[in-house]
Amino acid sequence: MAFLLFAFIAAVTPGPSNTMILSTGAAVGTLRGLACPIGASLGMGSMIVLSAFGVGEIVAAAPVIVVAMKIAGSLFLLWLAWRIVNAGTLEDGTQARATGFVNAFLFQWLNPKGWLVALSAGSTYFTPTLQGEFHAALQMGVLFAAAALPAGMIWLGMGALIARFLSNQDSAKIFNIAMASLLAASVILVWR
């Protein structure tokens, strides 16, 4: 229960992933945006599995890999911000495509908050079971993904609700700029 509570709180608090999910909900609505929180949840779950095995510590200990991930993560965050700022409204037909499953899944691997959560989860909650370390790590990943999905759905739903107020070009542009700015500003977290 403690791990599920940790996972839900880690997944529901604001961060780059939830900004992406919120923007997707505002862009295409809940039904068409489902792939985004599913991809983000499974991406995080897979990170938790590998972190439980110590992969996160290995990556964190290799300066070249860390710098490469920071560069890739920064570029990906800026690319997503660019997509969001250039999105139109639902009614004008210029709305950019939602962030899909693959991009949301891969995004987790470049998300600084995701790495902090994965490292914390692995070092705090990982306890090998009688079935072995792999089973315990897999169980952690599945549980995290199960807790993260409802959190992502909350953000997706909020985005869809916000979209009701974004029917004109001016309000949509203000929202898109605000979301893109938050996402671009999260690049600072990558380099801390």
mmCIF file with all atom_site columns, all heavy atoms in Angstrom, residues 127-133 135:
data_model
loop_
_atom_site.group_PDB
_atom_site.id
_atom_site.type_symbol
_atom_site.label_atom_id
_atom_site.label_alt_id
_atom_site.label_comp_id
_atom_site.label_asym_id
_atom_site.label_entity_id
_atom_site.label_seq_id
_atom_site.pdbx_PDB_ins_code
_atom_site.Cartn_x
_atom_site.Cartn_y
_atom_site.Cartn_z
_atom_site.occupancy
_atom_site.B_iso_or_equiv
_atom_site.pdbx_formal_charge
_atom_site.auth_seq_id
_atom_site.auth_comp_id
_atom_site.auth_asym_id
_atom_site.auth_atom_id
_atom_site.pdbx_PDB_model_num
ATOM 1  N N   . THR A 1 127 ? 12.196 -4.882  -2.648  1.00 0.00 ? 127 THR A N   1
ATOM 2  C CA  . THR A 1 127 ? 12.484 -5.986  -1.741  1.00 0.00 ? 127 THR A CA  1
ATOM 3  C C   . THR A 1 127 ? 12.295 -7.270  -2.519  1.00 0.00 ? 127 THR A C   1
ATOM 4  O O   . THR A 1 127 ? 11.173 -7.586  -2.937  1.00 0.00 ? 127 THR A O   1
ATOM 5  C CB  . THR A 1 127 ? 11.517 -5.967  -0.536  1.00 0.00 ? 127 THR A CB  1
ATOM 6  O OG1 . THR A 1 127 ? 11.557 -4.683  0.072   1.00 0.00 ? 127 THR A OG1 1
ATOM 7  C CG2 . THR A 1 127 ? 11.889 -7.022  0.478   1.00 0.00 ? 127 THR A CG2 1
ATOM 8  N N   . PRO A 1 128 ? 13.369 -8.016  -2.751  1.00 0.00 ? 128 PRO A N   1
ATOM 9  C CA  . PRO A 1 128 ? 13.225 -9.281  -3.486  1.00 0.00 ? 128 PRO A CA  1
ATOM 10 C C   . PRO A 1 128 ? 12.240 -10.214 -2.794  1.00 0.00 ? 128 PRO A C   1
ATOM 11 O O   . PRO A 1 128 ? 12.180 -10.277 -1.573  1.00 0.00 ? 128 PRO A O   1
ATOM 12 C CB  . PRO A 1 128 ? 14.637 -9.872  -3.466  1.00 0.00 ? 128 PRO A CB  1
ATOM 13 C CG  . PRO A 1 128 ? 15.535 -8.694  -3.253  1.00 0.00 ? 128 PRO A CG  1
ATOM 14 C CD  . PRO A 1 128 ? 14.750 -7.746  -2.380  1.00 0.00 ? 128 PRO A CD  1
ATOM 15 N N   . THR A 1 129 ? 11.454 -10.925 -3.589  1.00 0.00 ? 129 THR A N   1
ATOM 16 C CA  . THR A 1 129 ? 10.468 -11.850 -3.054  1.00 0.00 ? 129 THR A CA  1
ATOM 17 C C   . THR A 1 129 ? 11.008 -13.274 -3.146  1.00 0.00 ? 129 THR A C   1
ATOM 18 O O   . THR A 1 129 ? 12.104 -13.505 -3.670  1.00 0.00 ? 129 THR A O   1
ATOM 19 C CB  . THR A 1 129 ? 9.156  -11.762 -3.865  1.00 0.00 ? 129 THR A CB  1
ATOM 20 O OG1 . THR A 1 129 ? 9.431  -12.160 -5.214  1.00 0.00 ? 129 THR A OG1 1
ATOM 21 C CG2 . THR A 1 129 ? 8.591  -10.354 -3.839  1.00 0.00 ? 129 THR A CG2 1
ATOM 22 N N   . LEU A 1 130 ? 10.231 -14.225 -2.655  1.00 0.00 ? 130 LEU A N   1
ATOM 23 C CA  . LEU A 1 130 ? 10.627 -15.621 -2.751  1.00 0.00 ? 130 LEU A CA  1
ATOM 24 C C   . LEU A 1 130 ? 10.761 -16.060 -4.205  1.00 0.00 ? 130 LEU A C   1
ATOM 25 O O   . LEU A 1 130 ? 11.537 -16.956 -4.524  1.00 0.00 ? 130 LEU A O   1
ATOM 26 C CB  . LEU A 1 130 ? 9.602  -16.512 -2.037  1.00 0.00 ? 130 LEU A CB  1
ATOM 27 C CG  . LEU A 1 130 ? 9.517  -16.344 -0.518  1.00 0.00 ? 130 LEU A CG  1
ATOM 28 C CD1 . LEU A 1 130 ? 8.381  -17.186 0.045   1.00 0.00 ? 130 LEU A CD1 1
ATOM 29 C CD2 . LEU A 1 130 ? 10.836 -16.706 0.130   1.00 0.00 ? 130 LEU A CD2 1
ATOM 30 N N   . GLN A 1 131 ? 10.007 -15.411 -5.105  1.00 0.00 ? 131 GLN A N   1
ATOM 31 C CA  . GLN A 1 131 ? 10.065 -15.752 -6.521  1.00 0.00 ? 131 GLN A CA  1
ATOM 32 C C   . GLN A 1 131 ? 11.317 -15.162 -7.188  1.00 0.00 ? 131 GLN A C   1
ATOM 33 O O   . GLN A 1 131 ? 11.601 -15.465 -8.331  1.00 0.00 ? 131 GLN A O   1
ATOM 34 C CB  . GLN A 1 131 ? 8.810  -15.247 -7.252  1.00 0.00 ? 131 GLN A CB  1
ATOM 35 C CG  . GLN A 1 131 ? 7.551  -15.975 -6.880  1.00 0.00 ? 131 GLN A CG  1
ATOM 36 C CD  . GLN A 1 131 ? 6.877  -15.371 -5.651  1.00 0.00 ? 131 GLN A CD  1
ATOM 37 O OE1 . GLN A 1 131 ? 7.294  -14.349 -5.137  1.00 0.00 ? 131 GLN A OE1 1
ATOM 38 N NE2 . GLN A 1 131 ? 5.842  -16.037 -5.164  1.00 0.00 ? 131 GLN A NE2 1
ATOM 39 N N   . GLY A 1 132 ? 12.027 -14.294 -6.506  1.00 0.00 ? 132 GLY A N   1
ATOM 40 C CA  . GLY A 1 132 ? 13.261 -13.746 -7.043  1.00 0.00 ? 132 GLY A CA  1
ATOM 41 C C   . GLY A 1 132 ? 13.190 -12.260 -7.322  1.00 0.00 ? 132 GLY A C   1
ATOM 42 O O   . GLY A 1 132 ? 12.131 -11.628 -7.237  1.00 0.00 ? 132 GLY A O   1
ATOM 43 N N   . GLU A 1 133 ? 14.352 -11.708 -7.668  1.00 0.00 ? 133 GLU A N   1
ATOM 44 C CA  . GLU A 1 133 ? 14.474 -10.272 -7.911  1.00 0.00 ? 133 GLU A CA  1
ATOM 45 C C   . GLU A 1 133 ? 13.689 -9.823  -9.141  1.00 0.00 ? 133 GLU A C   1
ATOM 46 O O   . GLU A 1 133 ? 13.079 -8.755  -9.132  1.00 0.00 ? 133 GLU A O   1
ATOM 47 C CB  . GLU A 1 133 ? 15.945 -9.883  -8.060  1.00 0.00 ? 133 GLU A CB  1
ATOM 48 C CG  . GLU A 1 133 ? 16.707 -9.948  -6.771  1.00 0.00 ? 133 GLU A CG  1
ATOM 49 C CD  . GLU A 1 133 ? 18.147 -9.484  -6.924  1.00 0.00 ? 133 GLU A CD  1
ATOM 50 O OE1 . GLU A 1 133 ? 18.561 -9.122  -8.040  1.00 0.00 ? 133 GLU A OE1 1
ATOM 51 O OE2 . GLU A 1 133 ? 18.850 -9.476  -5.899  1.00 0.00 ? 133 GLU A OE2 1
ATOM 52 N N   . HIS A 1 135 ? 10.962 -11.049 -10.441 1.00 0.00 ? 135 HIS A N   1
ATOM 53 C CA  . HIS A 1 135 ? 9.533  -11.019 -10.112 1.00 0.00 ? 135 HIS A CA  1
ATOM 54 C C   . HIS A 1 135 ? 9.210  -9.779  -9.283  1.00 0.00 ? 135 HIS A C   1
ATOM 55 O O   . HIS A 1 135 ? 8.202  -9.104  -9.523  1.00 0.00 ? 135 HIS A O   1
ATOM 56 C CB  . HIS A 1 135 ? 9.137  -12.293 -9.357  1.00 0.00 ? 135 HIS A CB  1
ATOM 57 C CG  . HIS A 1 135 ? 7.682  -12.366 -9.052  1.00 0.00 ? 135 HIS A CG  1
ATOM 58 N ND1 . HIS A 1 135 ? 7.159  -11.911 -7.863  1.00 0.00 ? 135 HIS A ND1 1
ATOM 59 C CD2 . HIS A 1 135 ? 6.633  -12.816 -9.791  1.00 0.00 ? 135 HIS A CD2 1
ATOM 60 C CE1 . HIS A 1 135 ? 5.846  -12.084 -7.871  1.00 0.00 ? 135 HIS A CE1 1
ATOM 61 N NE2 . HIS A 1 135 ? 5.506  -12.633 -9.023  1.00 0.00 ? 135 HIS A NE2 1
#
